[in-house]
Amino acid sequence: MKRGTFSRRELLKGLGAAGIFLPFFPSLNLAAEPKVFPKRLILFFSANGTIPDQWIPTGDENNFQFKRILKPLDAYKQKIMVLRGLGLKSKGPGDGHQQGMGQLFTGSELLPGDTKGGCDTCAPVSWAGNASIDQHVADYFLKQAQAEGRKIGLRSLELGVQVRNSNVWTRMCYRGPGLPVPPKNDPYQVFNELFGGVKDKLKLEALRIQRKSVLDNVIADLDALKNEMNGKDRVRLEEHLFNVRDIERRLDGSDLTASCEAPVQGKAINVMDEKNFPTIGKLQMDMLAMAICCNVTQVASLQWSASVSNVVFSWLGIGTGHHSFSHEGDSNANAVESLIKINEWYAKQYAYLIDKLEKCQEGTGTVLDNSFVLWGNELGKGNSHTRNNIPFVGAGSAGGYFKTGRYLNFGDKAHNYLLTSICHAMGDASQNTFGEQDYKGALGKMTG
Amino acid sequence: MKPKSYSLVLLLCSAVIMSITAGCYGIIGSPPSGNQPPTTRTNPPIARAEVPTTPADAGPKTDAGPTTPESTQPPEGDPIPIAKCEIPEALQLRRLTRIEYQNTIRDLLGQDVDVKSLLPPDEQTFGFAVGEGVSLSLSQAYMSIAEETVAKVDLDKLLPCKVAEIDDACATTFIKDFGLRTYRRPLKQTEVDRATALYKDLQSKYDAPTAMRSVLHMFLQSPYFIYRIERGETTTDGKATKLNDYEIASRLSYVLWASTPDQTLYDAAAKGELRTKEQITLQARRMIQDPKARQTVHYFFSQWLDLEKLDNMSKSDKEYPNFNVEIADDLRKETEKFIDHVIWEGDGKLKTLLTARFTFLNERLAKHYGIDGVTGTEFRRVELPATQQRMGLLTQGSFLAIHANKDQSSPIHRGLFVRKNMLCQIPDPPPNDIALQAPDLDPNLSTRERFEQHRSDPSCSGCHMLLDPIGFGFEHFDAIGRFRDKENSRDIDATGHMHVTEDINGPFNGTVELAQKLSQSKQVQRCFVRLWYRYSFGREDTPNDACFVQNVTETFLNKDGDIRELLIAVVAHKMFSHLKGELAEPVGQSSSPLVANRAKLDCTAFSPSQDASSWLFLLSLLFAWIAIRRLRRSA
């Protein structure tokens, strides 16, 4: 059931298979592919900083060589931008990992709360204080589509690989201040949500009508309750209401179509067993690439573990947890070598993902060309906990907006400029800042 | 001087200095003055000055029998603070946690839901799950779970009439009745009308069963079902807002059953019979007789002991090749069966949980522990052999494996658990830039020797003096809970020391003495009450609502630590039936040791700069360490 390849036509014929999302139901647009392709934003996260010495390329902007960690990206060099010298400059409460994780894609200070981090003098926190870039862009895409009378599928898809718990260390995507979006850990479940379920057209139509009626009533209850509540309770109910309305919206299906292939998942394995970390990660990347190529969504993210990840990379012959090693001094050759291997391994995963997007043809180009895939990390370097020099790498030009194939060094700038650049790349040109209001404007260098 | 004799002299020196400095510990426990860093917790404020001030630690006295805790006298002349009874403003909506949701669906529809794989994880406050987050994943999950669960329900058994003979009257009766059980309050007329309209619309389009199932889908996705809503009554009692009758029924039910109220509770709510302490106590006594109370106790202990960590637990293949998920699962079952037995079939006492000389094992787990005479897959009661130093909960493999590294035991984590979860003292987390790595496995050293090095680093020694000497007491047990006499062919040294507690300071040797110490501590009993507070209210107790801990601890102590009586006392307390504001009722007078202690452990109490004797103590440790290293090399 979880096997096999769908052609686009099969997907459309099966009507999606209703699952939860009903992404292809019912007004499928079987017309010729459009000339202008949708833009996509994909976030990719790995933890605990890098080893800068082996991450920073040699050479200059246009003529550069990867060292060990980014070597796996050699084949995609012309579609890549190495973004050096960008840091998380927000202050506020929280320890290094908390701030790193919460600020990475939101560009703002964390909110105060009662979660204490690993630092004596750092004030306790609750969650990030701003929407993350992916959610902002997802909102933008949705509003734009609605303004133009188009229907789109899933707002965004958040996938994780063995992300445990729910706290500020484990969440990078936010719908708004204090509103974290949990990633989905289970590729089999995601598959079923996207492509499982009812195939019979009549049953599907009935299900759609029933769901709509049910959700209308749920919305009435939410509305009534919301109006009675204040403060945080009200904010949560508003968010709840938004989510239920979003489910209802998607019952009407999507106008977007594209050619794509569903992944082959094979026999189900234990999703949370650490030994399966690489396999589950691959399944999630397959799912993500498919969802992007099939236009199930335009916005997605993949979070490998979480900040302070202590995954033991036994498949690389490493016996100590990632975070434990990341604290070791530079003189510990074994730790440094292991960290290089770990980061190189993540580069291979990133390469795998962009390769999948590159293989989806779109007009004369590829889906990767119409995307921007940003790889970030909550720290610059593990043992110093610095949030300067986050090892950002971007792939894809967002439909020709960015000039790729370059190694850019910004010196020591706030990464907020990068987040603003992404808004512009995705078409949201009105955005002059992202997160902190002090950092106005975008990174001109990225466009050429 | 030969290396060996040099080392022995060093060891002797260190022992002498240690014994001198240990005598100074009395002043180490006193509150630091002057340059305290600003208190960082936003809510509630925690004053460092509330660190226990009692100069109780007399150090390693030779005549102090480990089973007789050194008594603590409250410092003379200190005023005894009167506990306040003001309930802090809190969230009025709490989403059902995964377990509450699972139990609720089971009690309503008789269906099991695999919540761990279907619902996103809950948020936590002080170690206990609180349903706070909302997300699209969650709403989608509620929709699909509702659809899948309701599809499996036999409508004929749920409805007051046969579904084939359903008429409007039956439908309305059902909507009112089932609506009450899902909204946990009577439906308003507008709500009945809306549900009825939904039913009629879909009945005309499809059929009655489809329409009724849709009504159920709607109920199960309604915010009135998904959230525990507490808004209180407009009439106030003193300055405090009281919960209404149905809200009290729900709170009682979710605290004592981790599930939805039953008909008896709804009837009591309808008749206004949940208003007095006596009425609530009567219900509570009935409720803890119900097997559903076991759910709650499992839930509480699972969170307190972090038993979820046993799910998919992996240990180092190299060090523990025989450990697997089946054994991890057995470890959880052992603890659950033991807790069930002590609380529901035994005397119910915390003391017994900590000091019982028996446990529950099957053959596989008995073999794992090296205990003979158990056959078969069934768990049964087994008396613990005296040779293994096993006694109570803290010597069960679940605790020992959870609080351990993958490849070696962890005196730090075990010590931290006792400090944080049994004494309710929260030490500062490690500084940001300090290596958190467990020491490398050195085949020539014991775990204890490797971890001793922590304390030679001044930046670590402060806090680790409060953790490691407790954790060393567990050293007879490895990272998967097996007993050992030797490690790397060196004899195990399980001597330990309690510092900065209110009533159990002093040395001990091994887990038996430690368990006995803990079982006799009032601080431990009060901490246990505080944990129940956090579990029941989903927040930390603050100085403003300290009356709860004070009153309930008194009851708990009077009942000799009977956890069943604690459950009753928690819900019978006046604060339990109130939402917010200050309770008018004065709080009973109490003797000093019950003054709520919300001390954040002040590690600087142990920092070398605080006290010259600490320097000397550290110096002695350093000497001891050098000596041990030299001895090892010369060996």
Side-chain angles (χ1 to χ4, degrees), chain B residues 4-30:
Chain B
K4 195 158 188 174
S5 51
Y6 169 68
S7 309
L8 287 173
V9 169
L10 263 178
L11 258 182
L12 191 68
C13 279
S14 62
V16 169
I17 304 173
M18 232 185 271
S19 58
I20 297 169
T21 55
C24 305
Y25 274 145
I27 40 174
I28 293 177
S30 35

Side-chain angles (χ1 to χ4, degrees), chain A residues 21 124 166 189 221 240 270 328, chain B residues 40 117 123 140 183 227 312:
Chain A
F21 298 154
S166 175
Q189 212 177 311
D221 274 354
H240 192 147
N270 184 339
E328 286 296 291
Chain B
T40 46
S117 63
E123 289 67 38
Q140 279 167 183
Y183 285 24
Y227 296 99
N312 298 310

Side-chain angles (χ1 to χ4, degrees), chain B residues 275-324:
Chain B
R275 291 180 188 171
T276 67
K277 184 175 178 170
E278 291 68 33
Q279 288 170 331
I280 289 179
T281 305
L282 192 70
Q283 282 296 334
R285 291 213 178 274
R286 174 185 75 86
M287 291 173 76
I288 67 164
Q289 299 300 318
D290 191 295
K292 283 189 278 187
R294 292 181 180 219
Q295 287 173 173
T296 290
V297 169
H298 278 180
Y299 191 30
F300 171 86
F301 278 95
S302 165
Q303 296 181 82
W304 181 45
L305 298 167
D306 222 349
L307 294 183
E308 271 200 22
K309 286 221 170 110
L310 290 169
D311 296 352
N312 298 310
M313 176 178 271
S314 64
K315 293 284 179 182
S316 160
D317 286 344
K318 200 168 139 241
E319 299 296 322
Y320 306 110
N322 297 324
F323 187 82
N324 54 40

Side-chain angles (χ1 to χ4, degrees), chain B residues 52 116 122 187 328 415 451 539 589:
Chain B
K116 274 188 191 172
D122 296 314
L187 263 53
F451 277 86
R539 59 171 185 253
Q589 295 301 309

Side-chain angles (χ1 to χ4, degrees), chain A residues 211-258:
Chain A
R211 279 180 174 174
K212 240 190 149 72
S213 308
V214 165
L215 291 182
D216 280 343
N217 279 276
V218 171
I219 286 169
D221 274 354
L222 276 164
D223 253 332
L225 183 60
K226 185 196 77 181
N227 291 333
E228 293 176 16
M229 307 304 280
N230 301 306
K232 277 187 183 174
D233 291 318
R234 191 183 173 103
V235 171
R236 287 155 76 219
L237 283 173
E238 276 166 358
E239 178 61 12
H240 192 147
L241 195 52
F242 176 89
N243 291 324
V244 174
R245 287 208 169 107
D246 198 48
I247 295 174
E248 194 174 49
R249 171 186 66 78
R250 277 183 290 130
L251 293 175
D252 290 335
S254 162
D255 293 335
L256 286 168
T257 64

